[in-house]
Structures are given as C-alpha cells and as structure tokens.
Amino acid sequence: MKELSDIERYEFKKKLDEIKSCKGQHTELISLYIPPNRQISDVMNYLRNEYSQSTNIKSKTTRKNVLSAIESIMSRLKYFKKPPENGLVFFVGHKTAGANQTEMVTYVIEPPLPVPSFLYRCDSSFYTQPLEDMLAERDVYGLFLIDRRECTIGILRGKRIETIDYLTSRVPGKHGRGGQSQRRFERLIEIAAHEWFEKCGKKISEIFLGEKDLKGIFVGGPGPTKYYFVEGDYLHYEIKNKIIDIIDTGYTDESGLRELVMKISEKMHDLKISQEKRIMRRFLKEITKKKKSLAIYGEDEVRKALEMGALDTLLISEGLDKYRVKLVCDSCGYEEEKTTDKAEIKKMESNPPKCKKCGGNMVVKEKTEIVEELSRKAQEKGTKVELISTDSEEGSTLLSTFGGIAGILRFEI
Ligand code: ZN
C-alpha cells in the first residue's frame, strides 16, 4: 500500500479534525463514501431513493436540512463521469454554529488512498473512521524491556513512543543466608522468576498480537535476563519470530524505552525516527560550525533562502501553530502577507488593521497554516521538506531553540 508523506498526512489530518468538529442539531449530517469502481449512476439512484425516504422525516427543519444536503451532493456529483482514482467522499449538512444558528457545510474529499467500500450515513456528526484508518501509521514496532524486577511494554509508531504497560515483580534477590535453607530459598526464587516470566510473556504476546501490521519487535534490558526470557518458552511463537534485535539498555522503565529507541535508531537507518534524528543532527552540527556553516534558522532567513533557491532542506516543526495570512486593503487593493497565530487573526478580523498606503481597512483574504504554505513553496523550488515531530529531544530543540523553522543550505550565502 502507498505510504503518505509526512506533509500529506499532516494536511489530511488537519482537514479531518475540522470535519470531525462539525456537529448537527439532529441526525442531519450526511457522510457518503464512493469507492473508485462504483458507477456514478448507481450512486445517483441510491441518493434518489434516500431522498424520497427522507421526505418522511417528521421534524420539519431536519427534513428540510437532510433534503437540501442530498440535493447538494447530487448536483455536485453530476459533474463526475466516474469517480476519481481513489474514489470520492462527501460530508454535507447543516452544522450548529452558535445559539440556534446552523450553517451549511460541504466537504468533497479525494482521499489519498482508495475508498474501501460504499457507505451512506446520516447522523448528528460526520463519519470519518474510514479516512482516519488511511492515516494510521504503518511504521510500527513493538518494544519491551525486561529483567527480574520490571517489564515495560511499548510501541514505536512512526516517531512516537507509546508506553503500553508496566509490570513489576516480587521475585526476591538471590542472596540468602547460606546452608540448607539457602538451597530451598534459591529454589523458591526460581519458581517466582518462572512465574514472573510467564506473566510477562503472556502480557507481551497479548499486546503485540493485538497490534496488526507490527513490522518487528525490539527487546531491551540490562544483563542476560532478556536473552534467557526470549529463548525460553514464554512468548507466543509469532511474537518471537518478529524479534529483530536484542539490545542492552541501562533501564527497564519508561526511560528505558527511549534509550532503546535511541539505540535502535542508530542501527536501523530506515526507521522514520532515525531519519529525523539524522537530519536534526546534521543541522545541529552545521550550526555549531564557526565558518562555512550551511545551517540557518528563523522564518525570515529561511524564506529568503527559499526564494533564492538556495535551500537544500527545509526543517519545520509539527508543533508550529502559526498561519500565513494575506491582507488586502478594501479601498486601494494594497496587499500584505504576514505570519501570525489564531488569536491574532481573530483580532484582525474584528478590528482590521489600517492600510499603509491609504489608511483603509486591511481585510484577511487568505489564511494557510505555515507548515502547509512553506512546504508547498519548498516543493516548487525542489527543496526537500522534513516535518520534524516534537517527540524526540532533537525535535523539541527545533521548536524551542530555533522557533520551529530552520534549514540546510545548498551553498553558502
Ligand atoms: Zn489602501
């Protein structure tokens, strides 16, 4: 299956969040999924049928809203001879917009992956699950750490480390008092350890078997216990077969998971997280050079280099919650672009700033998320784009120290 790029995923997710936030007052929001191989005429027939059934809806407003939503879909569908490559998804209806107000919304989506099956649903919210499934991260690995005292189970999803479970044992230490009772004591310890490993094996197997598309498993922990555990008869055979590597870590708790991921990312170069760490390290190395540094940061600097075609790689933080807005003077037409945040945009909309040229009102004409705007510009210029998460240490450095926007140059400028 095709993998979405980070940017596609990011943009798609933002759109979905917006669609998900729409709420209808009654069951009057329509979701329609059309797979690529479905005939448009079939869909039209289906909608005509839904339309005539909806004329029976008792509540007058609901009926009116549902009928107009179906009409709207049908009038748009007329322009298609057949569904696009991946099919088509409609979300249409009257969403609530403040006190007793509704607003008609229409989303027509050409999804990044094929629509799996036909679906029509009328509800008080839009049904987005099939699209969310398309967003599911496919770069997924199981992680666990084990010794005789602790066991931590986690999952690496793309660049994200999730802690799933943490178990602790009551296996006593090996040192007793010696003599006859010492042997008995050691025997009891071994029984307790065996029970502990069985418990962990069961839990680990259960969690990882429930995770479809697991690409592999990494094991960590201090000392030889982890090898003993993996070789023993504790894990489900399918899980055992998925183990890629066993690595020494200093810890068996949550911090051990991060330690494990750090170590595997150095060895496994095709992991998403490895790629991110690699590029951030290159940037940090460049930035500390006193001479001939190819690293730049800050929006203005990066924009300038981008315009010049001098930027090799754009580094942009997922955590950047900013917009690029275009303001146009409503009397002389003077235009201005600026980067700002949501709160500031609200302010500008209710209290427009004055035009530099004529003193008229500057009206917000377009607003685009900065991540989207800059990555599009970069793509036009043939600049590589790296969307950097805030999960890794390097990633949060990009946001906190460098303002979330940085780059590596093709040549010195
Ligand atoms: Zn003006």
Side-chain angles (χ1 to χ4, degrees), residues 329-334 354-362:
C329 171
D330 64 359
S331 54
C332 79
Y334 172 71
K354 297 290 170 239
C355 171
K356 273 186 206 158
K357 304 266 168 192
C358 74
N361 284 335
M362 297 295 285

Side-chain angles (χ1 to χ4, degrees), residues 138-313:
R138 277 166 233 286
D139 207 33
V140 183
Y141 294 87
L143 311 167
F144 72 84
L145 308 159
I146 190 163
D147 65 5
R148 289 164 81 99
R149 293 171 303 109
E150 287 179 314
C151 173
T152 306
I153 308 166
I155 286 177
L156 175 65
R157 232 180 271 285
K159 299 166 188 168
R160 245 156 227 117
I161 304 168
E162 294 166 22
T163 305
I164 308 289
D165 210 341
Y166 172 71
L167 313 169
T168 51
S169 82
R170 274 189 263 165
V171 181
K174 275 184 182 170
H175 304 288
R177 287 163 306 244
Q180 181 69 25
S181 60
Q182 173 70 12
R183 246 165 287 145
R184 219 183 119 239
F185 184 60
E186 279 173 3
R187 166 114 190 92
L188 287 175
I189 292 175
E190 284 327 300
I191 292 172
H194 177 72
E195 280 169 359
W196 160 244
F197 292 142
E198 278 196 320
K199 182 179 161 192
C200 295
K202 223 175 129 193
K203 195 77 209 176
I204 293 166
S205 302
E206 184 190 306
I207 289 171
F208 291 162
L209 284 172
E211 191 68 41
K212 53 176 188 175
D213 308 328
L214 206 60
K215 281 190 175 172
I217 295 168
F218 294 97
V219 184
T225 306
K226 55 187 178 297
Y227 298 102
Y228 173 81
F229 174 75
V230 167
E231 279 152 26
D233 211 9
Y234 300 111
L235 290 166
H236 189 282
Y237 73 96
E238 280 180 41
I239 298 306
K240 218 189 247 190
N241 287 340
K242 283 195 173 171
I243 293 176
I244 298 176
D245 208 349
I246 304 175
I247 289 165
D248 278 318
T249 61
Y251 300 93
T252 38
D253 58 3
E254 218 173 325
S255 63
L257 286 183
R258 284 194 297 276
E259 190 190 349
L260 179 63
V261 168
M262 200 188 75
K263 288 189 167 161
I264 60 182
S265 69
E266 323 236 300
K267 291 174 112 181
M268 304 260 308
H269 293 289
D270 53 347
L271 292 181
K272 271 194 181 169
I273 196 157
S274 328
Q275 197 189 335
E276 172 170 310
K277 277 177 183 285
R278 220 165 31 240
I279 194 82
M280 275 307 293
R281 248 183 247 153
R282 198 181 140 208
F283 169 76
L284 293 170
K285 202 173 142 200
E286 282 295 330
I287 205 103
T288 49
K289 279 190 190 165
K290 291 210 170 66
K291 271 185 220 164
K292 297 193 173 173
S293 166
L294 292 177
I296 54 168
Y297 62 94
E299 192 187 341
D300 293 343
E301 287 281 302
V302 170
R303 249 180 222 287
K304 214 162 50 185
L306 198 54
E307 292 299 328
M308 288 171 67
L311 201 60
D312 177 69
T313 309

